Amino acid sequence: MKKFCKFIFMLIPAWICLAGCVTSPFGFILGVDDILLSANFPRRAEYQLPPGAKVAVIPFQDTFNDGTVVGEVADWMVDNFFAMLQGDISNFFGGERGSIVHRITKRVSQEIEEDPNLVLINKKNADQADYLIGGGITSFDTYIDREKKDNRKYCTKGVFVSIRYQLVDVKTKEIVYTEERYIDRQDTREGSVPHTIAVVSDDIDMLAKQIVDITRPHEVKVTERIYLVETKNKDFKTACKLAKKSENRRKAQELFAKVYADEGIYQAGYNSAVLLFLNRDFEKAMEEMQAIEEKFHTKEAQKALKRIQEEIEYQQKPVQETSLDSTYCAEF
């Protein structure tokens, strides 16, 4: 028994050591093997509206009928929006789908109303509208899972909803922008089943902002990881500390690059490329990450390389290029 106790006490320093090692075999449990960093990237308007543009929001529908749109012209939307604005919105919606489209209609209207460069049109001055924003649900599904744990009952509700939206020029009846996005979210609570709208309300609010963002310059938040490693290299440790503050990331990147050049540590090279990306030095980030991927062939490097390439392609896209069939899906 004494020998066993002695063995346990001998292990304690080892466990303490492991707890301080950022890439120990237990790093995935301790959650200390990476650092999340973010930066705001500027985005131009996908379809720039003139200052003071008057925009009406057609109540989003619980279904989206492609039959209302012929080619690139939205006759139905333009011809009927006045009548729809005159109606009581509460009469349009019901059930789970209804709660979703009611919220997105309300939030899109609020986003326009709060934008100093846009004018929200309502039923009192509907005939003055220059543009319409509207849309509907193209796909919807929910599921409920129940489980009992520690004599407590838990309910998980999952919600999947795909929403298509359009920006229409009233004068020409042209659909100047169209896009489809989806929300895939779940929420777990003790006891009762969460309401559908409670599960996706934050995502809907974000979507409402993104819908109005197509008409104005804005910023998007980009988040990346830098990876830590057990090393005695002081420059690596210093770089990790510096990287946490955006104003110090240039120096951190230089230190990571130096460590990689001196010792060939994968994490140092990867981190250097990521910091170049967050600092918007995209071409150099691409060059470094490509070299890392070719040498180490990691999934992280492959995915980062794709993100950098997508950003470069966006930067190279001509200003004011508007696709009338720009539908794609993006998870929130």
Side-chain angles (χ1 to χ4, degrees):
M1 181 67 180
K2 290 182 178 179
K3 289 183 178 180
F4 177 77
C5 292
K6 184 177 180 181
F7 175 72
I8 292 297
F9 279 105
M10 288 175 65
L11 281 178
I12 291 176
W15 279 103
I16 293 174
C17 178
L18 284 172
C21 294
V22 294
T23 56
S24 72
F26 308 94
F28 69 96
I29 297 176
L30 300 172
V32 291
D33 57 349
D34 56 54
I35 299 173
L36 284 176
L37 303 177
S38 62
N40 291 328
F41 283 11
R43 289 289 183 264
R44 55 185 173 268
E46 293 293 332
Y47 190 87
Q48 183 75 58
L49 296 185
K54 299 177 177 65
V55 184
V57 181
I58 293 180
F60 279 65
Q61 302 298 293
D62 57 9
T63 57
F64 186 90
N65 183 5
D66 282 323
T68 63
V69 177
V70 180
E72 297 168 357
V73 180
D75 292 284
W76 180 87
M77 289 180 69
V78 176
D79 294 341
N80 292 276
F81 88 92
F82 181 79
M84 295 179 72
L85 286 179
Q86 293 297 321
D88 182 358
I89 290 180
S90 62
N91 292 334
F92 282 92
F93 311 121
E96 294 179 312
R97 289 171 174 251
S99 64
I100 290 174
V101 293
H102 181 274
R103 187 179 184 96
I104 196 167
T105 300
K106 180 179 178 180
R107 294 296 294 133
V108 169
S109 298
Q110 289 175 342
E111 284 287 336
I112 295 173
E113 192 170 27
E114 293 169 4
D115 191 316
N117 295 313
L118 299 176
V119 176
L120 178 65
I121 293 298
N122 53 41
K123 60 184 179 182
K124 293 181 180 179
N125 53 359
D127 58 334
Q128 299 178 21
D130 300 315
Y131 295 90
L132 308 178
I133 291 179
I137 294 176
T138 58
S139 181
F140 178 78
D141 192 24
T142 64
Y143 66 86
I144 298 173
D145 287 336
R146 293 180 172 88
E147 65 175 343
K148 192 174 182 180
K149 188 176 181 181
D150 298 329
N151 292 323
R152 294 183 176 182
K153 295 180 180 180
Y154 294 91
C155 294
T156 298
K157 185 163 189 175
V159 180
F160 176 89
V161 57
S162 181
I163 297 174
R164 186 177 181 90
Y165 56 93
Q166 299 171 331
L167 175 64
V168 177
D169 185 321
V170 172
K171 182 180 292 186
T172 64
K173 298 186 179 182
E174 179 186 11
I175 301 172
V176 295
Y177 192 88
T178 181
E179 190 168 14
E180 187 166 346
R181 290 180 179 267
Y182 70 83
I183 297 169
D184 192 358
R185 185 70 64 190
Q186 65 179 28
D187 187 13
T188 301
R189 300 187 185 184
E190 184 180 353
S192 60
V193 179
H195 292 292
T196 294
I197 192 62
V199 176
V200 298
S201 59
D202 289 344
D203 295 299
I204 290 174
D205 293 350
M206 184 185 300
L207 174 58
K209 180 181 182 302
Q210 292 173 333
I211 289 174
V212 182
D213 275 346
I214 67 176
T215 70
R216 61 194 178 189
H218 57 282
E219 290 186 336
V220 295
K221 185 178 181 180
V222 177
T223 302
E224 293 287 340
R225 296 176 186 271
I226 62 170
Y227 292 93
L228 313 186
V229 66
E230 183 181 358
T231 178
K232 294 180 179 179
N233 191 298
K234 294 182 179 179
D235 285 340
F236 189 97
K237 295 178 180 179
T238 301
C240 290
K241 294 178 181 178
L242 290 173
K244 294 179 182 180
K245 293 187 177 181
S246 57
E247 63 268 24
N248 297 329
R249 287 178 186 171
R250 182 66 62 184
K251 178 62 177 177
Q253 182 273 318
E254 293 172 354
L255 287 176
F256 279 131
K258 180 177 180 298
V259 172
Y260 181 67
D262 293 343
E263 300 188 25
I265 298 174
Y266 162 74
Q267 288 87 345
Y270 180 94
N271 294 349
S272 173
V274 163
L275 288 177
L276 284 169
F277 176 60
L278 292 177
N279 288 335
R280 302 183 203 166
D281 193 346
F282 302 125
E283 296 295 340
K284 193 171 182 182
M286 182 74 174
E287 181 182 339
E288 287 199 7
M289 192 62 76
Q290 197 161 17
I292 293 295
E293 196 284 324
E294 290 176 356
K295 182 175 182 179
F296 296 97
H297 304 292
T298 66
K299 290 183 179 179
E300 290 82 7
Q302 291 172 4
K303 292 177 180 179
L305 197 60
K306 183 179 179 181
R307 292 193 295 274
I308 296 170
Q309 180 62 47
E310 288 174 348
E311 185 63 32
I312 290 175
E313 290 174 356
Y314 173 81
Q315 296 296 329
Q316 293 175 344
K317 188 170 71 171
V319 178
Q320 286 295 103
E321 179 184 46
T322 303
S323 172
L324 297 177
D325 189 21
S326 56
T327 303
Y328 69 92
C329 291
E331 183 176 3
F332 298 98

